[in-house]
Amino acid sequence: MAKALLVASREMKAYLSTWMGYVICAAALFIEGLLFNAYAVGAQPKASAEVLANYFYFASGIAMVAGVFLSMRLLAEEKQNGTIVLFFTSPITERQLIYGKFLSAFGFMMIIQLLSLYMPGLIFMVGKVSLGHLAAGYLMLALIGASAIAIALFASAISPNQLVAGVTGALFVVTLLVLWMVADVVSPPFKELFGYLAIHNRHFMPFSQGIVHIRDVVYYGSVIFFFLECSVRALEARRWQG
């Protein structure tokens, strides 16, 4: 665990010392601000809970996009620059490396989410919403963002450069995203299967309404664990290939 945290600390410094982290953070907050005013608040009067649910709806999409951008460089950049060889010769295991890099991207994602708290805070100034609704929504943003990070990290592990990693990661996330639409046009048992595997919709909606189901937390935890372990296996395979 200590070595994974060491890797996470190193990667976090990379986010904070380069333009990429600040650009992703600024772009995410800027787009969220625009959508908050245009979509969540809108021109028509709405109940505070509805405004908050709308905010979490588009913020979940931005969290997924930010997760892909934050993760695409984590391993692909190391391979592109040839520095991945240094990890193979160091006393760090593949699992410590993968989980350390995941924690760094997740930590930076949480910084973005903390900076976005002023938007729900504006709702408190003119209306009243439940703190439980707010907590459930931000738990959802953390889970869906972490899922996108884990998926894109796996894409980064199997891609030769950052561009391919970004495209591959986005493709994986979009595929899981649109499965709920596929579920509407297929017959059982695929209807239930695709509906369950979809990363949004069924698992997202309760959180946006302030309701937390353990089954949804387990789903997102399973997605994160599955793709992180796939990344570990991909890195192990690369080490054995030399």
Side-chain angles (χ1 to χ4, degrees), residues 184-240:
D184 286 341
V185 297
V186 296
S187 303
F190 297 107
K191 185 179 184 68
E192 282 299 314
L193 176 63
F194 291 159
Y196 177 79
L197 292 177
I199 200 171
H200 212 265
N201 201 41
R202 178 191 296 185
H203 301 292
F204 158 82
M205 290 303 180
F207 285 107
S208 71
Q209 301 299 325
I211 303 169
V212 177
H213 290 302
I214 296 299
R215 64 172 185 267
D216 298 324
V217 176
V218 170
Y219 165 80
Y220 286 114
S222 301
V223 170
I224 295 166
F225 179 75
F226 175 78
F227 280 99
L228 288 181
E229 287 301 310
C230 286
S231 301
V232 172
R233 298 293 180 269
L235 211 56
E236 287 175 344
R238 182 176 177 82
R239 168 174 279 185
W240 283 109

Side-chain angles (χ1 to χ4, degrees), residues 52 55-56 117 120-121 124 129-139 207 210:
L52 192 59
Y55 166 72
F56 286 132
L117 274 170
F124 281 98
V129 293
S130 163
L131 287 176
H133 189 173
L134 189 65
Y138 271 91
L139 173 61
F207 285 107

Side-chain angles (χ1 to χ4, degrees), residues 30-217:
F30 177 71
I31 295 171
E32 280 190 4
L34 287 178
L35 293 175
F36 179 77
N37 284 285
Y39 180 65
V41 177
Q44 301 296 324
K46 296 175 183 173
S48 299
E50 184 182 358
V51 173
L52 192 59
N54 288 341
Y55 166 72
F56 286 132
Y57 186 83
F58 65 72
S60 64
I62 295 172
M64 286 188 283
V65 174
V68 172
F69 277 108
L70 287 173
S71 300
M72 68 181 192
R73 54 164 285 275
L74 288 176
L75 288 167
E77 185 181 48
E78 301 280 5
K79 288 185 281 186
Q80 203 170 350
N81 296 334
T83 52
I84 192 74
V85 179
L86 299 177
F87 286 108
F88 291 153
T89 57
S90 68
I92 297 177
T93 66
E94 288 82 359
R95 184 166 284 102
Q96 290 167 338
L97 178 62
I98 292 296
Y99 280 76
K101 285 181 175 288
F102 168 78
L103 288 175
S104 68
F106 181 67
F108 197 82
M109 171 74 76
M110 289 300 95
I111 292 175
I112 297 175
Q113 299 304 338
L114 285 175
L115 292 175
S116 74
L117 274 170
Y118 79 92
M119 281 178 273
L122 293 174
I123 303 174
F124 281 98
M125 296 178 64
V126 295
K128 185 177 180 181
V129 293
S130 163
L131 287 176
H133 189 173
L134 189 65
Y138 271 91
L139 173 61
M140 179 274 297
L141 293 181
L143 289 171
I144 206 166
S147 299
I149 289 171
I151 294 168
L153 181 56
F154 171 63
S156 186
I158 61 174
S159 301
N161 57 59
Q162 294 185 59
L163 178 60
V164 176
V167 173
T168 306
L171 183 62
F172 286 161
V173 172
V174 170
T175 300
L176 284 175
L177 185 64
V178 301
L179 279 181
W180 68 271
M181 289 187 277
V182 178
D184 286 341
V185 297
V186 296
S187 303
F190 297 107
K191 185 179 184 68
E192 282 299 314
L193 176 63
F194 291 159
Y196 177 79
L197 292 177
I199 200 171
H200 212 265
N201 201 41
R202 178 191 296 185
H203 301 292
F204 158 82
M205 290 303 180
F207 285 107
S208 71
Q209 301 299 325
I211 303 169
V212 177
H213 290 302
I214 296 299
R215 64 172 185 267
D216 298 324
V217 176

